[in-house]
Amino acid sequence: MAFTLFNTLGRTVQPFEPLKPGKVGFYGCGPTVYNYAHIGNLRAYVVHDILVRTLRRVGFEVTHVMNITDVGHLSGDNDEGDDKMLKSAEERGKTVWEVADLYTQRFFHDTQRLNIQKPTVICKATEHIADMIALIKRIEERGFTYLVAGNLYFDITKFAAYGELGRLRLEDQKAGARIEVDQNKRNPHDFVLWFTKSKFENQAMVWDSPWGKGYPGWHIECSAMSIKYLGETFDIHAGGIDHVPIHHTNEIAQSEAATGKHPWVRYWVHNEFLVLDKGKMSKSTGSFLTLQALIDAGYDPLDYRYFLLGAHYRSQVQFSYEALTGARNARKSLLDRIRERVKVLGTSLSWLRNKPLPPSFTEGKGGTYLAAFNAALDDDLATPRGLAELWGILRDPAVSAEDALLGVCAMDEVLGLNLAEAVETPVPVESPGLRDSIEALIAERAAAKKARDFARADQIRQTLKEQGIILEDRPTETVWRCG
Ligand code: AMP
Ligand code: ZN
C-alpha cells in the first residue's frame, strides 16, 4: 500500500506523491521561544518526528525544515495582544536575545530527551529578516498590500482563495466580531506584514526596511524561510490544529500572492491538541506542564512519547498522570519482554539493530508483523495500530527470539522509543524521584547494617541490583551507579 496522509486541504486521506521523485520537502512550524515548550507543543514535534521517520522508512530523502520564532509573535495570532518575546524578557529581567537563546536551548534539550531527530535545517526568524523583506516586496509589487499609520497590511480581498484551507466563512466572523480589530485594518482578517508603529515603544528587535524601522509580522517568517529552503512549491507543511484558521491561512495567502503559484504547499498536516482535564494549556498564561515537570514526578521522557503514540495524531488527547502511569507500566512491560527475548538469544539489541533483515525474516511470521506495522504507519500514521504490531511480534510464540528482536528494531526506527538503549540502560538516572528512592534505600541499608540486620541489607542490595543499580561500599559512604 502506498503512503497516505490526511490532507487538511480537501479533508481526505490521500496517497502521497512528492513533487520530485524520491525526495520530500517538509516544513513544520517551530517553537516561539519566550518560555518553555509545554507538553502540548511537544506533541506537535513528536508527530513531525513520526512523519519524518516514516517517510524515511518508505525510502524518501527528507529535507525537514524547522523555524525558531524569536521575533514578532504577539499573544494573539491575529496581530493583537502583547509581544510575547518582549513581555517575557521584561518579566525575567533579561534581554529578548537572552530569552530566545535560553528557551531555544531548553527546547532542543526537551526534543532530544524525547528522541526527536534534529531537523535538517533549523532557521531563526531573526537571521532571515532580509528574506522576509524581499518576500514582502514581491507581495507589495503584485498589489496585495496597503500601508496605514506606518504598518504594512495584507489585503485579503485581493486574494480570491483566502480562507480555503480552514473553510472560513468570513462574513460570519466579521458579523460576530470575535476577534479584536485593529482600527487600521480594512477587513478584520487582514494581517500585518511589517510593523513600524509598534504599540511597544521599547521594542528591542527592530530592523531597517523600505517601510521604515520595525519588525516583521509573525506569519511572514514561515513563508520566507520555507520558500528559501524548500522552493516556491513544496510537499508537506505541518503544525497544530490551531494554526489552520489564521497562521497557515495567512501563510498560504502571502506565499501564493508573492509567487503567483498554486498550490504553494501540496499536503497540510495538522495535529490535534493535547488538553489537560482542566482544559487548554496555555504557554502565555503559564498554566501548563513541561517535560521537566513529568521527569521530576518520576517519569522517563520516553514514557511520555509512548503515551503520545498510543493515540492517533488527529485525535484530541487528554493528559492525566493516571494515563501517563499506564504508559509507563506498558513501556516497562515492553522492555521486560524484550529483555526476556534478548536473554534467550544471548545477544544485544544494539548489535541486532545494525543487522540487515535476512530474507528468512521477511518471508516468515516476523515479516508479517513488520508488514502490518508498516501498513499501519503508511495509513496516515496510525501509531496505535503500529504499537499493537510491536506487542504482537513480541507475544507470538511462533516468532523466534531473533526474528522478534529484528522486527522490534525495525519498528523502533519509526517509533523512536529508543528501545535498544532503554533495554540496555534500565534506569532513568535523570529522574530526581527515582534518585530519592535509591538514596532512601541506601540510608535504610546503612541503618540495617548498623543494627546488624545483614539479611535486610543484602535484600536491599539485591532489590536495587534487579533494577540495574549497583552499590559500591566506600570507606565513608555507599555510592551507586547504573549497572
Ligand atoms: P508555539 O510555540 O506556541 O508557536 O507552538 C508550537 C506548536 O505547538 C504549534 O504547532 C502549535 O500549533 C502546537 N500546539 C500548541 N498547543 C498545543 C497543544 N495543546 N497540543 C498540541 N499541539 C499544540
Ligand atoms: Zn509557521
Side-chain angles (χ1 to χ4, degrees):
M1 194 182 77
F3 177 61
T4 59
L5 267 180
F6 182 89
N7 191 348
T8 308
L9 271 179
R11 305 282 195 283
T12 48
V13 177
Q14 302 171 1
F16 174 75
E17 281 164 29
L19 269 172
K20 296 188 200 120
K23 300 206 158 123
V24 176
F26 167 57
Y27 184 91
C29 286
T32 309
V33 286
Y34 67 102
N35 203 338
Y36 293 103
H38 59 57
I39 57 172
N41 301 133
L42 292 170
R43 179 181 194 199
Y45 303 107
V46 168
V47 170
H48 298 183
D49 190 48
I50 292 289
L51 171 61
V52 171
R53 284 167 179 268
T54 303
L55 288 165
R56 291 192 173 132
R57 195 264 304 144
V58 172
F60 292 113
E61 186 189 313
V62 183
T63 305
H64 174 191
V65 179
M66 180 196 279
N67 65 304
I68 302 290
T69 301
D70 53 359
V71 64
H73 195 173
L74 305 191
S75 56
D77 288 352
N78 208 36
D79 304 326
E80 81 279 17
D82 294 323
D83 180 311
K84 291 184 174 184
M85 296 296 299
L86 189 64
K87 188 166 174 234
S88 168
E90 279 169 359
E91 281 167 7
R92 289 165 176 77
K94 292 182 187 290
T95 68
V96 278
W97 306 97
E98 284 167 346
V99 166
D101 266 2
L102 170 69
Y103 292 115
T104 304
Q105 272 180 35
R106 302 316 296 174
F107 173 75
F108 285 112
H109 185 220
D110 281 352
T111 55
Q112 185 226 325
R113 294 192 288 190
L114 283 167
N115 203 26
I116 292 172
Q117 292 177 339
K118 272 235 161 158
T120 327
V121 176
I122 296 167
C123 40
K124 290 185 185 178
T126 48
E127 291 172 2
H128 292 77
I129 302 295
D131 299 290
M132 296 185 218
I133 291 175
L135 194 69
I136 299 173
K137 273 172 134 171
R138 288 173 76 184
I139 302 169
E140 189 177 39
E141 277 156 21
R142 292 173 61 96
F144 289 88
T145 62
Y146 60 92
L147 193 66
V148 183
N151 294 336
L152 189 73
Y153 293 88
F154 186 96
D155 181 350
I156 65 149
T157 60
K158 300 272 168 60
F159 185 72
Y162 188 83
E164 259 178 12
L165 179 77
R167 299 188 172 170
L168 303 183
R169 293 169 58 193
L170 303 177
E171 305 74 28
D172 290 0
Q173 294 199 19
K174 198 172 174 180
R178 284 197 300 117
I179 46 183
E180 183 192 321
V181 182
D182 166 350
Q183 292 308 316
N184 293 322
K185 288 184 183 181
R186 291 183 190 158
N187 182 302
H189 292 274
D190 290 350
F191 55 92
V192 179
L193 294 165
W194 189 267
F195 287 97
T196 60
K197 287 282 178 286
S198 162
K199 45 187 164 180
F200 315 109
E201 308 229 312
N202 48 349
Q203 192 71 32
M205 292 170 156
V206 284
W207 293 266
D208 285 326
S209 85
W211 313 280
K213 221 182 195 40
Y215 61 100
W218 171 40
H219 316 294
I220 197 71
E221 67 171 88
C222 288
S223 293
M225 292 191 276
S226 59
I227 288 174
K228 174 168 182 155
Y229 295 106
L230 298 172
E232 292 192 352
T233 50
F234 62 92
D235 297 302
I236 311 177
H237 192 316
I241 193 89
D242 56 323
H243 285 345
V244 175
I246 301 179
H247 183 48
H248 289 166
T249 291
N250 293 350
E251 280 189 39
I252 292 173
Q254 63 198 5
S255 303
E256 296 190 2
T259 65
K261 290 185 182 151
H262 177 79
W264 168 51
V265 168
R266 291 152 50 87
Y267 299 85
W268 284 90
V269 173
H270 291 104
N271 66 275
E272 248 300 346
F273 263 36
L274 176 97
V275 293
L276 298 176
D277 44 4
K278 297 191 289 297
K280 260 192 161 185
M281 247 180 300
S282 163
K283 200 147 79 164
S284 44
T285 62
S287 60
F288 64 81
L289 276 172
T290 59
L291 187 65
Q292 188 59 48
L294 306 190
I295 294 168
D296 291 346
Y299 296 89
D300 187 295
L302 295 174
D303 293 334
Y304 181 57
R305 186 170 172 117
Y306 187 96
F307 165 81
L308 289 176
L309 299 185
H312 190 262
Y313 77 93
R314 284 193 290 115
S315 308
Q316 195 174 84
V317 170
Q318 189 165 18
F319 177 83
S320 68
Y321 277 108
E322 291 75 46
L324 185 62
T325 303
R328 174 168 67 186
N329 293 341
R331 197 175 75 92
K332 186 174 174 304
S333 316
L334 183 72
L335 297 180
D336 286 345
R337 208 167 267 266
I338 295 172
R339 281 190 198 107
E340 279 166 27
R341 294 291 197 152
V342 167
K343 215 179 266 172
V344 170
L345 194 66
T347 185
S348 79
L349 212 54
S350 309
W351 182 79
L352 273 182
R353 190 171 52 180
N354 299 319
K355 239 180 111 179
L357 291 174
S360 59
F361 170 86
T362 318
E363 288 151 17
K365 191 86 200 281
T368 316
Y369 283 101
L370 183 58
F373 173 89
N374 289 341
L377 272 290
D378 285 354
D379 182 8
D380 192 31
L381 310 174
T383 52
R385 272 164 51 207
L387 283 181
E389 298 303 333
L390 175 69
W391 277 99
I393 200 170
L394 280 163
R395 279 193 179 128
D396 189 340
V399 180
S400 70
E402 175 160 358
D403 279 1
L405 295 175
L406 283 169
V408 164
C409 291
M411 292 178 195
D412 200 34
E413 285 295 309
V414 176
L415 296 174
L417 289 167
N418 220 352
L419 293 172
E421 285 76 1
V423 163
E424 282 144 33
T425 319
V427 178
V429 273
E430 277 191 85
S431 152
L434 189 85
R435 208 175 291 139
D436 290 349
S437 71
I438 295 170
E439 301 289 348
L441 280 172
I442 290 176
E444 192 189 332
R445 178 168 166 269
K449 281 208 305 196
K450 212 168 168 189
R452 307 192 70 75
D453 182 356
F454 297 112
R456 175 67 189 140
D458 284 348
Q459 193 187 31
I460 290 172
R461 179 192 280 280
Q462 186 56 29
T463 306
L464 285 171
K465 192 170 168 209
E466 278 159 18
Q467 293 172 26
I469 305 292
I470 307 296
L471 300 186
E472 271 176 37
D473 288 320
R474 304 248 171 100
T476 53
E477 59 175 353
T478 299
V479 295
W480 62 273
R481 64 180 166 80
C482 297

